[in-house]
């Protein structure tokens, strides 16, 4: 590739340098015609002349000089980078011409009195270079930065390697490592981790030599060399070789990249990190009219003595970006080039000094932007360490350029590189057209892969997939992401709206969104078997929460499976199993053609605010079950009551559910907590109501319905007879009455002691046999049943005919037990015209005879009481009015003969005084009876004011008249009257 085929830019500004003091003149150092060797580094430039002097100039061109070779000349200069050491090669004796290498420490300067421009640096080491008995000039040199090795190349093709500490005056070793026929044109060291490689360049070969190897040898890398000054080392420690046809790069393995730059080259210089300064040999020009305007501007025709002059071309090649950053010509030839102070300095043969200053990066970028060379601009920005935001702006401009040209694929590639810096909406708006959906899909996919997408982007990407009907990419997007880098709910919602239920289910299950998974499977896919299986594997807590929401729907389609699942959950037998790992089906090919491409609110959710929230567990604690049973069950079962509303359309399943839960939870227990009792009571009431419901189902025949009803009513009766449940009897009775459950009603009446209601119930139903049975069973417990039964038996001729024998039996029983007075029996039978006198003739006659006998006994008893009373009154009167003669011969206490002193009592008992002791005022034998009578009398006086006691006895005794008569007989009423 010729020079014309490389892109050329003017990234350097050429300016002539002037002396800071004399503004219009070139610095005096560079006006000298005998300066020939240049070296730069560490903020200064070293220049030598033909008399052996070395000049050191700083940025302001303040010059200091020292003599390096007195009476000789300097042929080579090298400024070390790590240390301020200058290496010189020259000849002290022009006659012998022996090359001498000297190492000067420019930091250790010895003062020279009376002179500011003369210095005397410390000479660290002097080494004479001589091969054999002849002397050959030095053509090139290379020195390691650590000053441990140096290589000298001679014009006769010999390379001498010097080892040792070159910075100190110690013994060093010189060794000839290569001898050839062609002169040495370039040397360079490459320091590697475990070795040091020396590149050797001649006019015909390029070689490498491992200076640290045990048995080093020269390795030929290329059988083509280069001229003197066209072999240099770059910052990457590669050997750059310039030949007329191209520029080649070499490393220890051989030739590397090359740049086809077809032009003669006289020397190369490395600048900064990637610039190669190429100096071409001068060419002769005949007149100034043939020069370029730039050359003419620098050409002073007054100083040209002839019609011909030399024109030297200098090019600066960017090896990293592969373009010419500068191309210029210098009239009169070039004496030398050095790079320092961030510029390229050119010393002309005419004594003028020029500096090539690199334009700043923004200026270079503007030039590239105008030329639409965005790739170069991007590379240049990277090299200049631009931040991501600035580089993204270049990518944006590049993308805009390609977009304006219609290259949408290329534009999208550039826009993708701006992700994270450029607002995505800028790109999305450009590609919303249906013709560019594919490009937009790529952009959105990259946006998601970098985790910078929001819910809107997810919605748009999924819409793109479905619009393109690209199921494979949709699968890849959903399944390939191990980490969630998109809005999950939005993705699921869009897949649902598009009909891609398999993908929505996959996402929901993968990220354990159980609510969304079940909502899709049940509401959209109608796959109820899968839903039940999934819920079973969620574990008790999640199963409880989701069944509370979906149990009604599942029961309407899978009643048996759902009922069994609820039984296991509420009975504490549901195992806590982990979540399964699904594999989505790829058979779903339904597209979203009916949805607008970018329509819909991406932030909308398939759930309302309430349904989207996590619901706290609402299971009812079962008291003791929580404390003791859950250790055995593994978790606290939820209350069965919370699931009862779900069975509204399936009472048969509800019956099975409650029976199983009731049996598994409490069948083996005998003692329950109050909470458990309440739970059992609620289930019991529901079961009773279910048992009493009329059988439903069109598939059942009348006979099957009757059979089922009998079985259920038997269960209901068994349930009523369960004394372990403290159920509400009134509620149960209402249910039985509403459903006309005779056995249950009778049982509950009997349980509550409502015998009258039992007989009345059977009477209302006209079931005389049941009435007869009831009066036989409950009559002994409640006498009030008999008048009611008598009225019923005599209510109609039919009942009378059927119950005549029982009526007579009842009358006999009433008579034997004296349960009712005859007047009540007559009144009960006289309420209708059915009962006849003949029916009561025997009963009435017997009762009259019995009353006559009782009356006669009472009259005899009254007569005896009256005679006894008269006798007592006469005795009292005699005691009060007549003297009592005592003729008792024996002591009533000791039965001994009575002698004096003796004590006689009016009760006709006599005692020795010694037998009575101190108690001689009361008869010992009559004292007990007298004391008893006194206590009775005192009690009567005390009870005379106890009206509450009187009325309690009157209420509780069957014969109230007897109580009143007893009070009168004991004269209690008289005492009460006296108290009042």
């Amino acid at each position: 590739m010729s020079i014309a085929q490389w892109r050329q830019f003017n990234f350097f500004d050429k300016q002539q340098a002037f002396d800071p003091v004399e503004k219009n003149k070139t610095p005096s150092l560079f006006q000298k015609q005998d300066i020939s060797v240049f070296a730069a580094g560490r903020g200064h430039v070293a220049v030598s002349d033909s008399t052996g002097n070395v000049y050191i100039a700083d940025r302001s061109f303040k010059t200091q000089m020292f003599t390096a070779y007195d009476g000789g000349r300097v042929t080579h200069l090298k400024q070390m980078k790590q240390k301020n050491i200058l290496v010189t090669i020259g000849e002290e004796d022009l006659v012998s011409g022996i090359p001498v290498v000297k190492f000067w420490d420019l930091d250790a300067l010895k003062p020279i009195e009376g002179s500011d421009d003369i210095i005397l640096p410390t000479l660290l080491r002097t080494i004479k270079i001589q091969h054999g008995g002849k002397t050959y000039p030095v053509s090139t040199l290379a020195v390691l930065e650590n000053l441990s090795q140096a290589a000298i190349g001679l014009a006769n093709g010999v390379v001498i390697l010097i080892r040792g500490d070159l910075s100190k005056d110690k013994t060093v070793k010189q060794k000839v490592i290569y001898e050839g026929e062609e002169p040495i044109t370039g040397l360079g060291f490459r320091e590697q981790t475990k070795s040091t490689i020396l590149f050797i360049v001649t006019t015909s070969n390029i070689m490498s030599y491992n200076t640290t190897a045990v048995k080093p040898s020269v390795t030929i890398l290329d059988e083509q060399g280069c001229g003197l000054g066209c072999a240099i080392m770059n910052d990457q420690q590669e050997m750059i070789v310039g030949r007329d046809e191209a520029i080649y790069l070499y490393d220890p393995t051989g030739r590397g990249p090359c740049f086809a730059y077809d032009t003669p080259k006289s020397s190369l210089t490395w600048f900064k990190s990637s610039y190669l300064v190429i100096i071409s040999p001068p060419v002769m020009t005949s007149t100034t009219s043939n020069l370029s305007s730039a050359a003419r501007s620098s050409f002073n025709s007054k100083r040209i003595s002839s019609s011909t002059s030399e024109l030297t071309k200098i090019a600066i090649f960017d090896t990293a970006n592969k373009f010419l950053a500068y191309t210029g010509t210098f009239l009169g030839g070039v004496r030398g080039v050095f790079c320092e102070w961030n510029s390229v300095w050119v010393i002309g043969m005419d004594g003028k000094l020029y500096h090539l200053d690199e334009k700043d990066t923004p200026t270079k970028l503007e030039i590239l932007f105008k030329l639409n060379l965005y790739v170069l601009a991007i590379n240049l920005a990277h090299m200049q360490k631009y931040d991501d935001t600035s580089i993204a702006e270049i990518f944006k401009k590049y993308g805009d350029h390609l977009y304006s040209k219609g290259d949408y694929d290329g534009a999208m590639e550039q826009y993708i590189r701006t992700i994270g810096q450029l607002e995505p909406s800028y790109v999305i708006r450009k590609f919303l057209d249906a013709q560019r959906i594919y490009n937009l899909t790529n952009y959105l996919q990259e946006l998601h892969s970098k985790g910078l997408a929001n819910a809107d982007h997810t919605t748009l990407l999924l819409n793109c997939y479905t619009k393109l009907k690209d199921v494979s990419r949709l699968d890849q997007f959903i399944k390939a992401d191990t980490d969630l880098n998109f809005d999950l709910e939005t993705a699921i919602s869009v897949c649902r709206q598009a009909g891609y239920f398999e993908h929505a289910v996959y996402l929901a299950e993968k990220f354990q969104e159980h609510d969304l998974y079940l909502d899709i499977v049940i509401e959209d896919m109608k796959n109820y078997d899968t839903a039940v299986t999934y819920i079973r594997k969620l574990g008790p807590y999640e199963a409880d929460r989701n069944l509370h929401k979906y149990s009604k729907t599942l029961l309407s389609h899978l009643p048996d499976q759902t009922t069994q699942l609820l039984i296991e959950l509420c009975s504490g037998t549901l195992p806590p199993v982990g979540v399964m790992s699904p594999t989505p089906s790829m058979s779903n090919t339904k597209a979203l053609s009916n949805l607008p491409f970018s329509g819909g609110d991406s932030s909308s959710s398939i759930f309302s605010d309430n349904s989207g929230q996590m619901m706290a567990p609402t299971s009812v604690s079962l008291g003791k079950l929580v404390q003791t049973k859950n250790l055995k069950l593994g978790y606290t079962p939820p209350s069965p009551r919370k699931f009862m509303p779900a069975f509204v359309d399936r009472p048969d399943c509800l019956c099975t559910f409650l029976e199983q839960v009731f049996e598994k939870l409490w069948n083996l227990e005998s003692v329950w907590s109050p909470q458990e009792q309440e739970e059992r009571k609620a289930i019991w009431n529901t079961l009773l109501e279910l048992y009493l419901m009329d059988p439903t189902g069109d598939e059942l025949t009348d006979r099957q319905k009757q059979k089922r009803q009998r079985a259920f009513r038997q269960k209901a009766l068994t349930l009523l007879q369960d004394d372990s449940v403290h159920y509400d009897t009134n509620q149960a009775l209402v249910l039985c009455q509403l459903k006309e459950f005779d056995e249950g009603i009778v049982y509950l009446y009997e349980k509550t002691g409502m015998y009258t209601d039992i007989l009345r119930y059977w009477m209302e139903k006209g079931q005389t046999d049941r009435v007869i049975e009831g009066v036989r069973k409950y009559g002994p417990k409640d006498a009030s049943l008999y008048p009611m039964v008598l009225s019923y038996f005599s209510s109609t001729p039919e009942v009378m005919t059927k119950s005549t024998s029982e009526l007579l039996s009842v009358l006999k029983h009433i008579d034997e037990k004296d349960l009712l007075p005859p007047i009540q029996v007559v009144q009960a039978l006289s309420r209708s015209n059915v009962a006849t006198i003949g029916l009561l003739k025997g009963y009435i006659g017997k009762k009259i005879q019995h009353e006559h006998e009782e009356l006669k006994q009472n009259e005899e008893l009254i007569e005896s009481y009256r005679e006894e009373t008269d006798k007592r009154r006469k005795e009292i009167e005699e005691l009060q009015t007549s003297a009592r003669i005592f003729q008792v011969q024996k002591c009533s206490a000791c039965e001994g003969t009575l002698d004096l002193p003796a004590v006689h009592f009016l009760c006709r008992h006599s005692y020795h005084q010694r037998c009575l002791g101190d108690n001689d005022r009361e008869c010992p034998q009559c004292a007990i009876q007298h004391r008893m009578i006194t206590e009775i009398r005192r009690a009567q006086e005390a009870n005379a004011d106890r009206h509450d006691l009187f009325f309690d006895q009157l209420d509780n005794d069957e014969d109230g008249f007897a109580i009143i008569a007893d009070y009168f007989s004991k004269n209690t009423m008289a005492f009460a009257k006296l108290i009042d």
Side-chain angles (χ1 to χ4, degrees):
M1 182 180 291
S2 66
I3 186 173
Q5 293 176 296
W6 290 104
R7 289 194 179 98
Q8 300 183 36
F9 305 99
N10 187 20
F11 285 168
F12 285 81
D13 296 325
K14 176 184 175 183
Q15 296 181 11
Q16 185 177 349
F18 297 98
D19 190 277
V21 178
E22 299 181 10
K23 302 294 185 181
N24 296 325
K25 293 184 179 181
T26 302
S28 59
L29 173 63
F30 300 100
Q31 293 181 15
K32 297 171 65 68
Q33 294 297 318
D34 60 345
I35 59 175
S36 57
V37 183
F38 307 92
R42 296 186 67 88
H44 58 255
V45 59
V47 182
S48 67
D49 59 13
S50 59
T51 61
N53 295 324
V54 176
Y55 301 89
I56 307 297
D58 59 13
R59 180 66 181 85
S60 61
F61 300 110
K62 181 181 179 181
T63 305
Q64 294 177 312
M65 181 269 291
F66 70 92
T67 301
Y69 299 90
D70 190 10
R73 62 173 184 153
V74 179
T75 59
H76 295 81
L77 292 174
K78 183 175 180 60
Q79 175 66 47
M80 307 307 294
K81 296 179 180 179
Q82 296 182 2
K83 297 180 179 180
N84 196 10
I85 293 177
L86 179 67
V87 182
T88 64
I89 299 180
E91 301 167 356
E92 292 183 338
D93 185 0
L94 296 178
V95 178
S96 63
I98 298 175
V100 178
V101 182
K102 293 184 179 182
F103 293 85
W104 305 90
D105 187 354
L106 299 182
D107 288 334
L109 300 177
K110 296 179 181 179
I112 302 295
E113 295 182 1
S115 177
D116 294 335
D117 58 350
I118 299 176
I119 59 174
L120 186 60
T122 301
L123 179 60
L124 300 177
R125 175 178 289 279
T126 301
I127 303 173
K128 290 185 178 182
I129 305 298
Q130 190 171 5
H131 177 250
K134 297 182 179 181
T135 301
Y136 296 95
V138 175
S139 58
T140 183
L141 83 156
V143 183
L144 273 176
E145 287 294 331
N146 60 9
L147 299 177
S148 63
Q149 297 184 49
I152 308 296
L154 304 180
N156 65 341
V158 174
V159 177
I160 299 174
L161 180 65
I162 303 174
R163 291 177 178 271
D165 190 349
L166 303 178
S167 64
K168 298 180 180 179
D169 190 11
K170 293 183 179 180
T171 304
V172 295
K173 296 180 181 180
Q174 297 186 34
K175 179 181 179 182
V176 176
I177 61 173
Y178 175 75
E179 291 183 277
E181 297 180 356
E182 296 84 7
I184 306 300
T185 57
L187 292 173
F189 281 105
R190 178 188 177 100
E191 289 187 283
Q192 300 181 149
T193 305
K194 296 182 179 180
S195 63
T196 301
I197 305 297
L198 174 65
F199 290 102
I200 303 173
V201 182
T202 68
T203 56
S204 60
N205 289 298
I206 299 174
M207 297 160 284
S208 66
Y209 180 85
N210 189 346
T211 63
T212 56
V214 178
K215 295 181 179 181
S217 61
V218 175
T219 301
I220 297 177
L221 302 178
D222 198 350
E223 294 183 351
Q224 296 186 51
C226 67
L228 187 65
C230 292
I232 60 171
M233 296 294 291
N234 64 8
D235 291 348
Q236 290 74 37
Q237 300 189 75
E238 296 173 315
M239 174 61 74
I240 299 179
V241 175
R243 293 196 284 268
D244 289 347
E245 74 279 5
I247 297 169
Y248 302 92
L249 276 69
Y250 293 88
D251 60 18
T253 62
R255 181 191 293 179
C258 74
F259 305 103
Y261 187 72
D262 188 8
T263 185
K265 305 169 184 66
S266 61
S267 67
L268 302 178
T269 303
W270 189 257
F271 177 53
K272 291 187 176 179
S273 61
S274 62
Y275 288 122
L276 181 64
V277 182
I278 305 171
I279 305 172
S280 299
V283 295
M284 302 302 295
T285 59
S286 58
T287 62
T288 60
S289 59
N290 294 331
L291 298 177
S292 64
S293 60
R296 286 197 300 271
S297 66
S298 64
F299 176 70
N300 188 351
S301 60
K302 294 180 180 181
R303 300 185 62 181
I304 304 262
S305 59
S306 63
S307 60
T308 61
S309 62
E310 292 182 350
L311 189 67
T312 302
K313 182 181 292 185
I314 293 180
I316 301 177
F317 186 76
D318 189 336
T319 59
N321 298 309
K322 301 179 180 60
F323 62 80
L324 287 169
Y326 173 80
T327 303
T329 58
F330 294 84
L331 190 63
V334 174
R335 189 182 302 276
V337 175
F338 65 89
C339 300
E340 188 60 31
W341 307 310
N342 208 31
S343 298
V344 178
W345 296 82
V346 181
I347 303 98
M349 297 295 291
D350 56 359
K352 293 182 179 180
L353 178 64
Y354 300 92
H355 57 96
L356 303 178
D357 300 325
E358 186 179 9
K359 297 179 185 295
D360 58 21
T361 303
T363 302
K364 291 191 288 186
L365 291 177
E366 286 299 325
I367 295 173
L368 295 175
F369 291 156
K370 291 178 181 179
L371 298 174
N372 295 324
L373 298 175
Y374 294 97
V375 175
L376 285 178
I378 293 168
N379 293 336
L380 185 62
H382 277 296
M383 290 184 62
Q384 297 300 321
K385 307 298 182 182
Y386 266 41
D387 58 17
D388 293 340
T389 303
S390 301
I391 295 176
E393 183 63 25
I394 302 175
F395 279 119
K396 172 183 172 294
K397 291 182 177 181
Y398 190 18
D400 292 343
H401 170 68
L402 295 176
Y403 185 89
S404 64
K405 293 172 60 178
D407 184 3
Y408 301 119
D409 293 341
M412 182 52 71
E413 290 181 6
Q414 309 312 316
Y415 288 134
I416 287 176
R417 295 175 181 176
T418 66
I419 292 176
Q421 303 297 330
L422 181 63
E423 176 62 35
S425 60
Y426 176 84
V427 180
I428 293 172
R429 282 194 298 268
K430 286 179 172 290
F431 289 86
L432 275 180
D433 187 76
Q435 301 297 327
R436 305 177 197 127
I437 293 179
Y438 185 81
N439 301 113
L440 180 59
T441 303
N442 293 336
Y443 180 80
L444 292 171
Q445 193 162 317
E446 287 295 325
L447 201 63
H448 281 81
S449 66
K450 295 182 179 180
L452 299 175
N454 57 28
D456 295 329
H457 300 147
T458 302
T459 302
L460 189 56
L461 177 59
L462 294 175
N463 282 336
C464 289
Y465 285 147
T466 53
K467 188 73 175 179
L468 294 172
K469 301 181 181 180
D470 195 344
V471 179
S472 60
R473 293 185 70 182
L474 179 60
D475 286 344
Q476 183 180 5
F477 172 75
I478 290 178
K479 294 188 294 183
D481 292 313
T482 55
D483 297 327
L484 186 63
N485 56 13
F486 53 85
D487 187 80
L488 179 62
E489 289 193 7
T490 301
I492 294 175
S493 177
V494 174
C495 288
R496 290 184 69 184
Q497 293 177 18
Y500 287 85
F501 302 128
E502 298 288 345
H503 299 82
V505 164
Y506 173 80
L507 285 175
E509 190 167 8
K510 178 179 179 180
F511 296 101
Q512 299 186 15
E513 291 290 339
H514 308 310
D515 292 342
L516 293 176
Y517 178 91
L518 292 172
D519 196 53
I520 298 168
V521 171
I522 295 174
E523 302 297 337
D524 298 331
M525 302 178 68
K526 311 298 182 183
N527 194 344
Y528 305 107
D529 286 323
T530 302
V532 172
T533 304
Y534 186 83
I535 292 175
R536 186 182 298 276
K537 295 182 179 181
L538 289 181
Y541 170 69
E542 288 294 335
D544 175 19
R545 197 168 57 83
N546 287 285
L547 281 174
H548 186 69
K549 182 177 180 181
Y550 300 109
S551 55
K552 183 177 180 181
T553 303
L554 293 175
L555 282 168
S556 62
H557 295 88
L558 296 176
D560 296 336
Q561 296 92 321
T562 307
T563 302
Q564 182 60 36
L565 178 59
L566 287 170
I567 291 172
E568 294 179 13
L569 174 65
C570 295
S571 61
T573 58
L574 185 67
V577 184
V579 180
M580 53 189 173
S581 299
T583 302
S585 172
M586 299 181 62
S587 61
N588 189 353
T589 58
K590 182 178 178 181
L592 197 134
S593 57
N594 59 330
L595 290 179
F597 173 66
S598 59
D601 184 4
S602 62
S603 62
S604 62
S605 174
I606 60 175
F607 293 119
S608 64
D609 293 339
N610 292 333
S611 62
Q613 298 174 353
M614 289 294 290
M615 296 176 60
T618 58
S619 58
V620 178
S621 174
L622 301 184
K624 181 183 175 183
L625 185 65
V626 175
Q627 300 173 4
T628 60
K629 292 183 179 179
N630 59 350
L631 298 176
K632 177 177 64 177
L633 302 176
Y635 65 95
T636 303
S639 170
R641 286 187 287 176
K642 66 185 293 185
F643 298 106
M644 289 182 186
F647 291 89
V648 62
D649 298 324
R650 296 306 302 254
D652 53 336
C653 295
L654 177 58
C655 185
T656 303
F657 167 66
L658 295 179
E659 286 177 346
Q660 293 290 329
V661 172
F662 195 88
E663 180 180 358
K664 291 183 178 182
L665 279 181
W666 299 297
N667 189 39
L668 301 178
E669 299 289 337
S670 58
V671 179
W672 300 281
S673 65
Q675 292 87 348
E676 285 182 294
Q677 287 286 10
E678 189 65 25
E679 192 77 11
R680 284 164 52 85
K681 181 179 177 181
I683 296 178
W684 185 96
N685 289 332
T686 307
L687 275 176
L688 179 62
E689 187 174 356
L690 291 172
Y691 288 154
L692 296 179
M693 289 179 62
D694 295 330
T696 58
D698 297 335
E699 69 279 1
L700 299 177
T701 63
D702 293 340
R703 184 174 181 180
Q704 290 175 333
K705 289 181 179 180
Q706 293 176 1
K707 183 178 179 181
R708 184 173 182 178
Q709 185 179 35
R710 287 195 299 270
F712 272 24
R713 300 224 162 179
Q714 183 59 41
K715 288 184 177 181
L717 184 60
T718 304
L719 199 65
L720 290 171
Q721 295 172 350
D722 185 2
D723 295 332
S724 63
V725 180
H726 302 296
Y727 56 85
D728 188 346
T729 307
N730 293 330
Q731 182 179 355
L733 184 59
V734 171
L735 286 175
C736 293
Q737 289 175 341
L738 289 175
K739 300 300 180 179
E740 298 181 355
F741 181 34
D742 298 343
E743 290 81 359
I745 295 173
V746 172
Y747 173 78
L748 293 173
Y749 281 155
E750 182 179 358
K751 182 178 180 180
T752 56
M754 301 170 65
Y755 308 122
T756 303
D757 294 312
I758 295 176
L759 295 185
R760 186 176 290 111
Y761 179 76
W762 293 127
M763 292 176 185
E764 291 175 355
K765 287 185 168 294
Q767 297 189 19
T768 306
D769 295 338
R770 292 292 185 92
V771 176
I772 296 172
E773 181 181 348
V775 75
R776 290 177 178 175
K777 184 176 181 180
Y778 309 120
K781 299 178 182 178
D782 187 359
S784 63
L785 299 178
Y786 294 109
M788 182 175 63
V789 170
L790 292 177
S791 299
Y792 172 73
F793 287 160
S794 60
S795 59
T796 62
E798 293 78 10
V799 176
M800 175 62 74
T801 303
K802 190 174 182 180
S803 59
T804 301
S805 58
E806 186 62 26
L807 176 60
L808 296 176
S809 176
V810 170
L811 290 174
K812 181 180 180 182
H813 183 75
I814 292 173
D815 183 30
E816 290 176 351
K817 300 296 183 178
D818 196 16
L819 299 177
L820 293 175
I823 186 63
Q824 290 186 8
V825 174
V826 174
Q827 289 175 349
L829 293 175
S830 63
R831 291 177 183 175
S832 65
N833 298 324
V834 177
T836 61
I837 295 297
L839 186 64
L840 297 175
K841 180 179 179 181
Y843 169 76
I844 294 175
K846 188 173 182 181
K847 291 301 293 183
I848 292 174
Q849 182 180 358
H850 177 72
E851 289 184 1
H852 278 299
E853 292 176 355
E854 185 177 358
L855 180 60
K856 184 179 180 180
Q857 292 177 358
N858 290 336
E859 289 176 348
E860 292 177 353
L861 185 59
I862 291 171
E863 185 62 29
S864 64
Y865 285 160
R866 189 173 289 127
E867 292 176 356
E868 182 67 21
T869 302
D870 292 340
K871 182 179 179 182
R872 294 298 179 185
R873 287 177 177 172
K874 290 179 180 180
E875 186 175 353
I876 292 172
E877 185 178 357
E878 288 180 0
L879 290 175
Q880 292 176 348
T881 58
S882 303
R884 176 67 61 93
I885 298 173
F886 298 97
Q887 296 179 354
V888 180
Q889 300 296 322
K890 292 183 178 181
C891 177
S892 298
C894 63
E895 299 262 339
T897 303
L898 189 63
D899 55 4
L900 297 175
V903 179
H904 302 278
F905 292 97
L906 294 177
C907 59
R908 298 182 183 277
H909 293 125
S910 299
Y911 301 91
H912 293 113
Q913 188 176 9
R914 62 178 179 274
C915 291
L916 291 176
D918 296 334
N919 189 12
D920 58 355
R921 298 181 59 82
E922 187 177 15
C923 174
Q925 292 187 10
C926 299
I928 297 175
Q929 184 177 0
H930 290 166
R931 197 172 294 118
M932 186 182 301
I933 294 173
T934 303
E935 290 297 330
I936 292 174
R937 187 172 182 84
R938 187 179 296 112
Q940 289 175 351
E941 293 176 356
N943 291 337
D945 196 33
R946 293 289 305 276
H947 305 300
D948 54 341
L949 181 62
F950 168 73
F951 286 110
D952 285 342
Q953 293 180 1
L954 197 63
D955 292 336
N956 295 328
D957 200 285
E958 295 181 358
D959 192 356
F961 184 77
I963 297 298
I964 296 174
D966 182 63
Y967 265 76
F968 273 105
S969 66
K970 294 177 180 178
N971 210 22
T972 305
M973 295 297 183
F975 287 121
K977 186 176 180 181
L978 292 175
I979 292 174
D980 292 340

